[in-house]
Protein backbone atom coordinates (compact mmCIF):
# COMPACT_ATOMS: atom_id res chain seq x y z
CA UNK A 1 0.00 0.00 0.00
CA UNK A 2 2.77 2.46 0.90
CA UNK A 3 4.55 1.65 -2.35
CA UNK A 4 1.37 2.28 -4.34
CA UNK A 5 0.74 5.61 -2.57
CA UNK A 6 4.32 6.77 -3.02
CA UNK A 7 5.28 5.45 -6.47
CA UNK A 8 2.02 4.99 -8.37
CA UNK A 9 0.10 7.96 -6.94
CA UNK A 10 3.14 10.19 -6.40
CA UNK A 11 2.41 11.43 -2.89
CA UNK A 12 5.44 12.82 -1.05
CA UNK A 13 6.72 12.83 2.54
CA UNK A 14 4.79 9.78 3.74
CA UNK A 15 4.38 9.38 7.49
CA UNK A 16 2.95 6.39 9.35
CA UNK A 17 1.46 6.89 12.81
CA UNK A 18 0.64 3.81 14.90
CA UNK A 19 -2.21 4.91 17.19
CA UNK A 20 -3.39 1.43 18.14
CA UNK A 21 -2.32 1.82 21.78
CA UNK A 22 -3.96 5.22 22.27
CA UNK A 23 -6.58 5.20 25.04
CA UNK A 24 -9.16 6.67 24.74
CA UNK A 25 -9.05 5.91 21.01
CA UNK A 26 -9.33 8.61 18.33
CA UNK A 27 -12.71 9.62 16.95
CA UNK A 28 -11.90 7.69 13.76
CA UNK A 29 -11.92 4.45 15.76
CA UNK A 30 -9.85 2.13 17.89
CA UNK A 31 -6.74 0.26 16.69
CA UNK A 32 -6.01 3.09 14.27
CA UNK A 33 -3.10 3.26 11.85
CA UNK A 34 -2.81 6.62 10.07
CA UNK A 35 -0.84 7.31 6.89
CA UNK A 36 -0.19 10.93 5.87
CA UNK A 37 0.99 12.05 2.43
CA UNK A 38 1.41 15.33 0.54
CA UNK A 39 -0.09 15.99 -2.89
CA UNK A 40 1.61 18.36 -5.34
CA UNK A 41 -1.56 20.33 -6.14
CA UNK A 42 -5.30 20.41 -5.58
CA UNK A 43 -5.91 18.51 -8.80
CA UNK A 44 -3.26 15.94 -7.91
CA UNK A 45 -4.93 15.53 -4.50
CA UNK A 46 -8.36 14.61 -5.86
CA UNK A 47 -7.09 12.52 -8.76
CA UNK A 48 -4.83 10.53 -6.40
CA UNK A 49 -7.60 9.96 -3.86
CA UNK A 50 -9.99 8.82 -6.60
CA UNK A 51 -7.43 6.43 -8.10
CA UNK A 52 -6.52 5.11 -4.65
CA UNK A 53 -10.14 4.27 -3.83
CA UNK A 54 -10.56 2.58 -7.21
CA UNK A 55 -7.37 0.54 -6.61
CA UNK A 56 -8.62 -0.59 -3.19
CA UNK A 57 -11.93 -1.73 -4.67
CA UNK A 58 -10.54 -3.58 -7.68
CA UNK A 59 -7.29 -5.01 -6.31
CA UNK A 60 -8.31 -5.75 -2.72
CA UNK A 61 -12.13 -5.81 -2.76
CA UNK A 62 -12.30 -3.14 -0.06
CA UNK A 63 -14.97 -0.48 0.32
CA UNK A 64 -13.16 2.77 1.26
CA UNK A 65 -14.87 6.06 1.98
CA UNK A 66 -13.18 9.31 0.93
CA UNK A 67 -14.28 12.36 2.88
CA UNK A 68 -13.58 15.64 1.03
CA UNK A 69 -13.09 14.02 -2.37
CA UNK A 70 -14.38 15.79 -5.46
CA UNK A 71 -15.16 13.29 -8.19
CA UNK A 72 -13.57 13.64 -11.60
CA UNK A 73 -16.73 14.99 -13.21
CA UNK A 74 -17.47 17.36 -10.33
CA UNK A 75 -13.95 18.78 -10.26
CA UNK A 76 -13.88 19.22 -14.05
CA UNK A 77 -17.26 20.97 -14.01
CA UNK A 78 -16.24 23.40 -11.24
CA UNK A 79 -12.97 24.22 -12.99
CA UNK A 80 -14.85 24.80 -16.24
CA UNK A 81 -17.29 27.17 -14.52
CA UNK A 82 -14.45 29.05 -12.83
CA UNK A 83 -12.57 29.51 -16.13
CA UNK A 84 -15.77 30.64 -17.89
CA UNK A 85 -16.40 33.21 -15.16
CA UNK A 86 -12.83 34.51 -15.47
CA UNK A 87 -13.18 34.91 -19.27
CA UNK A 88 -16.46 36.80 -18.89
CA UNK A 89 -14.93 39.17 -16.34
CA UNK A 90 -11.91 39.77 -18.56
CA UNK A 91 -14.16 40.52 -21.52
CA UNK A 92 -16.09 43.03 -19.45
CA UNK A 93 -12.86 44.58 -18.19
CA UNK A 94 -13.60 43.65 -14.59
CA UNK A 95 -11.12 41.93 -12.33
CA UNK A 96 -12.29 39.27 -9.90
CA UNK A 97 -11.00 40.39 -6.50
CA UNK A 98 -12.93 37.81 -4.47
CA UNK A 99 -11.03 35.11 -2.62
CA UNK A 100 -13.68 32.43 -3.11
CA UNK A 101 -12.60 29.18 -4.73
CA UNK A 102 -16.12 28.03 -5.75
CA UNK A 103 -15.74 24.88 -3.68
CA UNK A 104 -12.76 23.66 -5.71
CA UNK A 105 -10.06 23.82 -3.05
CA UNK A 106 -10.47 21.43 -0.14
CA UNK A 107 -6.78 20.75 0.46
CA UNK A 108 -7.55 17.58 2.40
CA UNK A 109 -9.02 14.17 1.61
CA UNK A 110 -9.41 11.52 4.32
CA UNK A 111 -9.64 8.00 2.89
CA UNK A 112 -11.08 5.63 5.47
CA UNK A 113 -10.17 2.14 4.32
CA UNK A 114 -11.95 0.39 7.20
CA UNK A 115 -11.05 -2.54 9.44
CA UNK A 116 -8.28 -4.76 8.09
CA UNK A 117 -7.69 -8.26 9.42
CA UNK A 118 -5.61 -10.96 7.73
CA UNK A 119 -5.37 -8.84 4.59
CA UNK A 120 -9.12 -8.34 4.14
CA UNK A 121 -11.82 -6.01 5.39
CA UNK A 122 -14.36 -7.22 7.93
CA UNK A 123 -17.54 -5.63 9.12
CA UNK A 124 -18.04 -4.54 12.71
CA UNK A 125 -19.76 -7.19 14.77
CA UNK A 126 -23.39 -6.44 15.54
CA UNK A 127 -24.48 -5.84 19.12
CA UNK A 128 -26.31 -9.16 19.26
CA UNK A 129 -23.15 -11.05 18.32
CA UNK A 130 -20.81 -9.68 20.97
CA UNK A 131 -19.52 -11.55 23.93
CA UNK A 132 -21.40 -11.34 27.22
CA UNK A 133 -18.52 -9.55 28.93
CA UNK A 134 -18.40 -6.73 26.34
CA UNK A 135 -19.92 -3.44 27.46
CA UNK A 136 -20.15 -0.36 25.25
CA UNK A 137 -21.73 1.24 22.21
CA UNK A 138 -21.37 0.18 18.59
CA UNK A 139 -19.66 -2.99 17.47
CA UNK A 140 -16.72 -4.83 18.92
CA UNK A 141 -13.97 -5.02 16.32
CA UNK A 142 -10.70 -6.82 15.80
CA UNK A 143 -7.87 -6.00 13.44
CA UNK A 144 -6.67 -2.50 12.62
CA UNK A 145 -8.45 0.44 11.08
CA UNK A 146 -6.37 2.14 8.37
CA UNK A 147 -6.89 5.77 7.39
CA UNK A 148 -4.93 7.65 4.71
CA UNK A 149 -4.77 11.44 5.06
CA UNK A 150 -3.97 13.14 1.74
CA UNK A 151 -3.23 16.86 1.95
CA UNK A 152 -1.75 19.66 -0.09
CA UNK A 153 1.49 21.09 1.25
CA UNK A 154 -0.21 24.23 2.56
CA UNK A 155 -2.97 22.29 4.33
CA UNK A 156 -0.52 19.82 5.83
CA UNK A 157 1.55 22.65 7.32
CA UNK A 158 -1.60 24.29 8.64
CA UNK A 159 -3.04 21.18 10.35
CA UNK A 160 0.27 19.58 11.39
CA UNK A 161 -1.36 16.21 12.10
CA UNK A 162 1.97 14.57 12.92
CA UNK A 163 2.61 16.89 15.86
CA UNK A 164 -1.00 16.61 17.02
CA UNK A 165 -1.01 12.83 17.25
CA UNK A 166 2.61 12.50 18.39
CA UNK A 167 1.85 14.75 21.35
CA UNK A 168 -1.31 12.76 22.10
CA UNK A 169 0.73 9.55 22.17
CA UNK A 170 3.35 11.16 24.41
CA UNK A 171 0.69 12.34 26.89
CA UNK A 172 -0.87 8.88 26.99
CA UNK A 173 2.52 7.25 27.57
CA UNK A 174 3.34 9.64 30.44
CA UNK A 175 -0.08 9.07 32.03
CA UNK A 176 0.31 5.31 31.70
CA UNK A 177 3.77 5.44 33.30
CA UNK A 178 2.46 7.53 36.21
CA UNK A 179 -0.34 5.04 36.85
CA UNK A 180 2.06 2.10 36.75
CA UNK A 181 4.47 3.89 39.11
CA UNK A 182 1.65 4.67 41.53
CA UNK A 183 0.53 1.06 41.55
CA UNK A 184 4.06 -0.09 42.32
CA UNK A 185 4.37 2.35 45.23
CA UNK A 186 1.03 1.23 46.69
CA UNK A 187 2.00 -2.44 46.59
CA UNK A 188 3.35 -3.70 49.96
CA UNK A 189 5.88 -6.59 49.83
CA UNK A 190 4.68 -9.69 51.67
CA UNK A 191 7.91 -10.01 53.70
CA UNK A 192 7.23 -6.62 55.37
CA UNK A 193 3.80 -7.58 56.69
CA UNK A 194 5.00 -10.04 59.37
CA UNK A 195 6.74 -7.63 61.80
CA UNK A 196 3.66 -5.39 61.85
CA UNK A 197 1.45 -8.14 63.29
CA UNK A 198 1.19 -9.06 66.94
CA UNK A 199 1.22 -12.71 67.89
CA UNK A 200 -2.48 -12.51 68.79
CA UNK A 201 -3.48 -10.66 65.64
CA UNK A 202 -4.27 -11.91 62.18
CA UNK A 203 -4.49 -10.06 58.85
CA UNK A 204 -8.25 -10.60 58.86
CA UNK A 205 -8.69 -9.03 62.33
CA UNK A 206 -6.71 -5.95 61.33
CA UNK A 207 -9.10 -5.29 58.43
CA UNK A 208 -12.21 -5.32 60.69
CA UNK A 209 -13.38 -2.64 63.12
CA UNK A 210 -13.42 -3.54 66.86
CA UNK A 211 -16.67 -5.06 68.04
CA UNK A 212 -18.60 -3.29 70.80
CA UNK A 213 -20.03 -5.32 73.68
Amino acid sequence: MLQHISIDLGLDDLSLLDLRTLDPPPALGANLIMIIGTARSEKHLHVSADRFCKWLRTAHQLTPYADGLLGRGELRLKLKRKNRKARMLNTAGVSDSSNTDNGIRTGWVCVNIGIIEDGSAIQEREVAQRDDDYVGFGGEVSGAKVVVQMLTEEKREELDLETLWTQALARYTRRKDRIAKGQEEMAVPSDNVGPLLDSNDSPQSLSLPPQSH
Side-chain angles (χ1 to χ4, degrees), residues 25 44 71 107 130 172 211:
H44 181 222
R130 17 173 126 134
Y172 168 70
Q211 297 181 356

Side-chain angles (χ1 to χ4, degrees), residues 1-17 33-37 52 55-56 60 113 146-148:
M1 182 184 298
L2 292 176
Q3 181 178 358
H4 179 78
I5 295 173
S6 176
I7 298 177
D8 297 337
L9 300 181
L11 267 66
D12 301 323
D13 300 328
L14 296 185
S15 295
L16 190 148
L17 301 177
I33 295 178
M34 183 180 296
I35 302 171
I36 304 174
F52 183 56
W55 176 75
L56 291 172
H60 300 282
I113 299 175
V146 181
V147 171
V148 180

